Amino acid sequence: MREGKKAGVKEAPEKEKILVIDDEPSIRKYLQTLLEVDGFEVSTVVSGSEALEFIGDGARPDFVILDVLMPEMDGLETLRRLMAADPGLNVIMLSCSNEVSTVVKAIRLGAHDYLTKPFEKPELDAALLKCRQKKELKAENQALREYCDQLTEDLSFLAASPQMLKIRQQILQIAPVDVPVFISGESGVGKEVVARMIHLRSSRRQQAFVKVNCAALPGELLESELFGYEPGAFTGAVRAKPGKFELANKGTIFLDEIAEMSPHLQAKLLHVLQDNQFARLGARGAIQVDVRVLAATNVHVQEAMRSGRFREDLYYRLSVLSLHVPPLRERSDEIPMLFRHFLLKYSEKFQKTVSEPAPHVIEAALRYPWPGNLRELENFVKRYVILEDNDGSLRELLEMTETQQRMAPSEEPVAPREQGLKALVRGLKDEAEMGAIADALEKTNWCRKDAAKILGISYKALLYKMRQFNLDTGRSTRTAGPGVPVIKSS
Ligand SMILES: Nc1ncnc2c1ncn2[C@@H]1O[C@H](COP(=O)(O)OP(=O)(O)OP(=O)(O)O)[C@@H](O)[C@H]1O
Ligand SMILES: [Mg+2]
């Protein structure tokens, strides 16, 4: 039972509220009497400025009756300002003249109807009825728009497997609760999609969703990106710049690849999360913000904490609630649906009519483990849409599957001698590549951002290679595929 409501007692319906704005006392009195008899709750004010104050104080009348001719601020100016303060107001104008230009101006400014003084009671009733109908139509439109937004958002988050249906359910539960969420999962599984859906389903949906890729910038730059700076904070800081935390005020900040953040910045972020405030670089005073933090990583967090790369206290602050998005290979039943989804997306984007892929392409797609997850599938479908080559796509899938199988850890390695020359060369190339990657990782204490820099490849390319060579869980001892070296922990 809700507080303040007695079981079994039917509450009287709430009275509709009307605000009357007119400088003439007789008209105010006349309208108040008529409307109160009809069951309205009537408030009256004598000028535009009083009306603006009334609305500014948070009053939300169901209807407003507004006189056009008033001293100081006239009715049209009052209407303009009232609509700026609350575009949802339902206003009926009231005037001695029905000059067409004034009527047109009022309607353009958002008035629903226009009554000419003196008016009879039935005219007032008709104007109110029309206004009520418009108001109801507006509410229906709004509800329909929200429903459509939700539908679009749901359609961009596809879920069919039991794991993903559960995640969708969890998102719906988690979204309205204003606490940090930690999203983990391999690269390309849909962590950002999950983060956006949490934001869109939260009460912050009308505010900003600000994404920051913590792996994309070196430490100092990331710090100024997150917290902003004042002029002179460092060489080149000519003008003040707000940070992403400020831009996300009242909304959500999505800290992607959080485990790549430098230890110094991890400590600073922890303080920000504790105090809800921070200072721009070079500033004296602190800024208070109201931001919901969502963080994501594709690294094995427990491993990163064990090796000291990621602060445990920060993790526990960020993971009040956590979600793990499973890799595509663990929900391969979703592949046909996702294939079709991306097919539609890119057919529309490239304005091509593309036929469904041949069944054997889908069958091959179901057998391939998709180490790059949905993003890899998406890129594959994009190529399919551009080239429309079933045979080529099938060949590509079979080759990728073969490479994967060759790379997968095996208990019984096949001696290079037993393979063809081509395979032998490929094995040696992979061996050299994997050795270089392992070296770079060891040298950088498994900091993948720095390792990518040493290797001269992008961070994403390194992640892909690590997964391909089964190096993705970091320092643990792993057995690798045939003809490739064993990586030992340091
Ligand atoms: N549930 C889903 N339904 C439909 N499309 C999805 C879904 N999840 C992911 N995608 C699509 O797959 C692609 C990769 O998703 P996203 O960028 O969210 O992955 P990610 O885990 O953040 O990747 P990374 O770790 O590389 O940043 C995007 O194009 C996204 O639209
Ligand atoms: Mg992402």
Side-chain angles (χ1 to χ4, degrees):
M1 204 197 317
R2 281 240 201 99
E3 216 182 350
K5 285 191 183 175
K6 287 197 186 112
V9 178
K10 210 170 173 188
E11 281 180 29
E14 220 177 88
K15 284 186 175 180
E16 281 185 307
K17 298 183 183 79
I18 293 201
L19 170 67
V20 174
I21 312 163
D22 201 314
D23 57 310
E24 279 180 55
S26 57
I27 297 280
R28 288 200 304 273
K29 189 79 209 136
Y30 173 62
L31 279 170
Q32 181 156 23
T33 313
L34 280 185
L35 293 165
E36 278 179 355
V37 167
D38 279 354
F40 287 102
E41 185 183 313
V42 185
S43 310
T44 58
V45 293
V46 301
S47 66
S49 44
E50 259 190 39
L52 285 165
E53 228 170 82
F54 186 78
I55 297 295
D57 286 345
R60 286 297 170 265
D62 296 284
F63 305 102
V64 176
I65 298 182
L66 169 62
D67 186 27
V68 173
L69 282 179
M70 290 191 295
E72 291 168 29
M73 196 190 300
D74 71 5
L76 288 179
E77 179 57 17
T78 306
L79 175 64
R80 195 183 62 74
R81 296 203 196 177
L82 281 175
M83 294 312 281
D86 180 3
L89 288 175
N90 304 293
V91 184
I92 298 170
M93 300 302 285
L94 203 60
S95 174
C96 301
S97 96
N98 59 355
E99 203 184 307
V100 177
S101 67
T102 314
V103 178
V104 171
K105 266 188 208 154
I107 300 296
R108 283 213 178 123
L109 284 169
H112 278 350
D113 210 347
Y114 203 96
L115 269 180
T116 316
K117 290 182 203 171
F119 54 86
E120 300 290 325
K121 174 81 171 41
E123 287 173 80
L124 176 65
D125 289 345
L128 280 169
L129 179 68
K130 208 160 126 196
C131 209
R132 184 177 290 112
Q133 283 167 342
K134 281 192 184 162
K135 182 180 160 219
E136 282 164 6
L137 207 64
K138 239 189 318 190
E140 266 172 40
N141 266 346
Q142 175 68 18
L144 211 62
R145 208 168 310 127
E146 274 173 18
Y147 176 70
C148 285
D149 283 353
Q150 234 161 53
L151 211 62
T152 324
E153 166 203 320
D154 286 351
L155 287 177
S156 62
F157 181 91
L158 298 182
S161 60
Q163 303 99 300
M164 289 309 285
L165 287 171
K166 188 168 169 211
I167 290 208
R168 185 207 284 273
Q169 178 59 31
Q170 287 171 328
I171 290 173
L172 299 182
Q173 283 178 313
I174 281 175
V177 190
D178 211 19
V179 292
V181 183
F182 196 90
I183 308 161
S184 60
E186 290 179 10
S187 179
V189 286
K191 297 183 294 296
E192 186 171 336
V193 171
V194 167
R196 284 183 189 277
M197 189 154 168
I198 293 176
H199 171 72
L200 287 171
R201 289 288 183 148
S202 74
S203 57
R204 296 170 181 263
R205 72 178 73 85
Q206 308 283 5
Q207 308 296 330
F209 175 88
V210 178
K211 177 187 161 179
V212 183
N213 186 339
C214 305
L217 294 171
E220 321 80 65
L221 275 183
L222 181 60
E223 187 170 2
S224 66
E225 182 81 0
L226 284 173
F227 305 114
Y229 52 81
E230 291 295 330
F234 48 83
T235 328
V238 186
R239 245 170 271 118
K241 190 180 170 219
K244 299 283 189 187
F245 263 96
E246 266 174 86
L247 299 177
N249 194 19
K250 305 264 180 250
T252 305
I253 195 164
F254 174 45
L255 302 174
D256 202 5
E257 321 269 19
I258 184 102
E260 303 306 324
M261 211 178 244
S262 68
H264 159 72
L265 216 48
Q266 286 182 33
K268 184 160 177 182
L269 178 63
L270 183 67
H271 281 128
V272 173
L273 293 175
Q274 273 160 355
D275 308 339
N276 282 323
Q277 60 175 27
F278 61 89
R280 284 183 181 179
L281 301 189
R284 295 229 173 122
I287 302 173
Q288 193 89 25
V289 284
D290 164 24
V291 176
R292 183 180 194 180
V293 181
L294 306 179
T297 183
N298 48 33
V299 308
H300 194 296
V301 195
Q302 304 299 337
E303 184 66 40
M305 287 194 292
R306 259 197 301 278
S307 67
R309 272 194 300 132
F310 194 58
R311 290 180 72 116
E312 260 185 66
D313 44 7
L314 178 59
Y315 173 69
Y316 291 116
R317 267 255 158 212
L318 289 170
S319 62
V320 177
L321 292 166
S322 61
L323 282 175
H324 178 73
V325 188
L328 187 55
R329 64 183 172 280
E330 286 173 18
R331 44 174 162 131
S332 52
D333 41 339
E334 290 186 340
I335 290 173
M337 172 187 77
L338 289 166
F339 201 114
R340 235 162 266 131
H341 168 69
F342 293 134
L343 192 76
L344 215 66
K345 176 173 168 181
Y346 288 103
S347 318
E348 264 174 31
K349 184 163 182 189
F350 302 138
Q351 298 193 332
K352 288 189 76 178
T353 320
V354 184
S355 46
E356 293 249 333
H360 52 263
V361 173
I362 294 291
E363 279 158 27
L366 283 165
R367 279 194 300 273
Y368 179 58
W370 300 103
N373 295 294
L374 276 78
R375 181 164 299 107
E376 189 184 8
L377 175 64
E378 180 169 7
N379 287 336
F380 178 80
V381 179
K382 201 193 287 181
R383 281 196 295 281
Y384 174 83
V385 172
I386 296 169
L387 303 171
E388 259 190 280
D389 176 4
N390 269 299
D391 291 344
S393 295
L394 179 66
R395 246 191 335 269
E396 191 185 340
L397 275 173
L398 294 177
E399 271 172 24
M400 294 193 306
T401 311
E402 192 203 315
T403 310
Q404 279 300 312
Q405 280 166 352
R406 217 159 25 79
M407 291 306 154
S410 158
E411 291 304 313
E412 297 164 27
V414 183
R417 237 178 299 118
E418 289 162 19
Q419 301 171 7
L421 187 61
K422 218 165 129 192
L424 177 69
V425 171
R426 205 156 39 192
L428 287 170
K429 181 179 153 283
D430 287 342
E431 189 174 327
E433 206 176 3
M434 183 173 165
I437 292 172
D439 264 1
L441 286 166
E442 289 294 319
K443 262 191 210 134
T444 57
N445 196 25
W446 285 80
C447 171
R448 295 161 324 154
K449 206 165 56 171
D450 293 347
K453 234 180 267 163
I454 291 180
L455 292 161
I457 58 175
S458 73
Y459 176 76
K460 286 256 146 100
L462 175 64
L463 291 187
Y464 184 84
K465 290 279 172 200
M466 284 172 69
R467 187 145 316 115
Q468 186 184 351
F469 295 132
N470 216 19
L471 290 170
D472 53 340
T473 51
R475 293 163 158 261
S476 56
T477 306
R478 324 197 100 250
T479 28
V484 286
V486 170
I487 304 301
K488 291 241 166 63
S489 59
S490 55

